Amino acid sequence: MKTKFYITTPLYYVNAAPHIGHSYTCIAADCLARYYRNLGLKVNFLTGTDEHGQKIQRAAEAQGLEPKVFSDKAVSVFKKLWETLDISYDDFIRTTESRHEKIVQKVLEILYKKGELYEHIYQGWYCTPCETFWSESQIQAGNCPDCKRPVEKIEEKNYFFKLSKYQDWLLDHIRSHQDFIKPASRREEVLKFLELNKLSDLCISRPKERLSWGIPLPFSPDHVTYVWFDALINYISAAGTFDKDDKYQSEWWPADLHLIGKDILRQHAVYWPIMLKALDIEPPKTIFAHGWWMINADKMSKSRGNVVSPIEMAEKFGVDVYRYFLLRDVPFGSDGNFSEEAIVKRFNGDLANDLGNLLYRTLTMIEKYFQGEIPDASINLKNKRAVEIEAKIKALDSGIKVNMGENDYNFSLALEPAWELINLANKYVEDTKPWNLAKENKTDELKEFILVLVNVIRKTSDAIYPFMPQTAESIKQQIGKNKISKGKPLFPRIE
Ligand code: MSP
């Protein structure tokens, strides 16, 4: 049985303010980290920032700042956001930290010594925003095939990593490890790409005269490290080190889960495992690529100018409502359309009508019929409906586990059994007509009825904790002890 869970998010570029797309990966990772901590596993949840490269150098220049000073400011914005959204990361790594830079240089030295890197004059096209080289046949009317912005012609001496020699190994690895790339559609995508294309070696340096903001190559003072080669190494630099025989040592590695967006699948599922293979380090267990949040069918991004601020959404609807919406509204892995109307719909339905209503009406009945004391728990269930609901309560954990378990990570499905239970309980209230039980002095029946509702609420609050930590805490405060402490409705309807 596994005892540790090492989970990572991508390192976010510091050149732009974080938007809801960035917050999505962190919220999903936080939900899993909380879930696995609760199961008793040792969890290492890593996030951080990607601070080198041309994009950042240019953004800093535009503000008249040194790139490091510029990055410091951006990092505080990211950290503030994660605090607001209750992101319980264990470690935050910046690619400008010396613990990272040292390991990147060590990796370069090892690969250079092993003959995995070589010098070569490169001629071709370059897309600066994507920091990617393209061949003549790949560019489209002078533009980058990915971001559609103009490419620049360049000719320069660089260092290359022998990616191509590991193509067959990678294909074998993906074919023999069902869980290596998730979801299945992404696994197919990578397999198809590797089956149809011959990998080119990867250019891992940039001449200093063109770009100075990067980690210097230890064997060539005129070059800095390509930003992706630098950034991917964070997953091992944050969690371990190399010994004197160049063997990597870490209590956390291999990572259990790299969560990423689907746009950075190639780097994670092709470059990264090959880099590790060349270093004799085990690949991560799973790379899961989630979908994109779109605005009216367009990808949300700074360059398209349609970004939504996660802080604004959290202020407007509440942190937990925002978290719940992102995790509930689309299956993890698919794209989703983001709109405030969609949040309001989830809010009024799932949260106000279902969960909030169940809690509020239960607290009100405990006040009215039992003077605020939760009745004694030792009661024999006689009512058929009560027995049925208790059985569902017992099955809840395993229902969640199937979907939060190692191979799935389907947050939306994981939440479903909790809402089934809530709806069942609400229906039970409507059908039972407790005021009649009270009028007829059927105290035992009334007790039984209330106890079932209390159990449903307590159990659901445990279940939703990884998704909505503040809500779970607030429910616990209101109904966690013998004497209730009724507050205002958790989710007053939005008209
Ligand atoms: N710095 C690289 C990652 C290096 S990891 C070693 C990077 N940074 S990023 O800031 O551009 O993007 C970070 C993550 O945000 C990516 O996983 C990306 O997919 C995700 N998102 C960016 N826009 C998004 C949406 N509109 N929707 C969902 N996620 C998207 O890439």
Side-chain angles (χ1 to χ4, degrees), residues 105-117 242 246-247 278-279:
Q105 291 197 317
K106 182 77 194 171
V107 163
L108 288 162
E109 253 168 37
I110 295 173
L111 295 179
Y112 191 64
K113 239 173 20 197
K114 285 175 94 173
E116 301 283 352
L117 306 178
F242 287 90
D246 293 346
K247 249 191 89 59
L279 290 163

Side-chain angles (χ1 to χ4, degrees), residues 9-15 19-22 24-25 50 55 78 228 231-235 259-264 268 290-294 299-301:
T9 73
L11 297 194
Y12 303 97
Y13 285 130
V14 289
N15 61 315
H19 60 63
I20 62 169
H22 304 125
Y24 187 41
T25 329
D50 194 349
K55 255 202 285 230
F78 274 96
W228 266 105
L232 286 163
I233 293 172
N234 91 87
Y235 302 129
L259 278 188
I260 57 166
K262 65 179 184 181
D263 49 332
I264 53 176
H268 282 83
H290 62 66
W292 282 343
W293 282 101
M294 321 279 281
K299 190 197 174 199
M300 184 183 311
S301 71

Side-chain angles (χ1 to χ4, degrees), residues 1-7 36 40-44 250-257 285 406:
M1 219 205 69
K2 75 176 180 186
T3 54
K4 66 100 184 154
F5 188 65
Y6 179 23
I7 179 171
Y36 279 105
L41 272 71
K42 260 178 64 188
V43 170
N44 188 11
S250 164
E251 60 169 314
W252 294 106
W253 197 260
D256 296 271
L257 181 61
K285 287 190 191 143
E406 341 208 312

Side-chain angles (χ1 to χ4, degrees), residues 361 365 383 385-386 388-389 423-437 449 453:
R361 70 198 329 185
M365 289 187 284
N383 182 298
R385 294 283 295 280
E388 193 190 313
I389 293 176
N423 291 333
L424 212 57
N426 273 326
K427 184 90 180 32
Y428 183 39
V429 177
E430 280 133 36
D431 296 344
T432 302
K433 306 196 177 59
W435 49 95
N436 285 339
L437 295 181
F449 164 76
L453 300 183

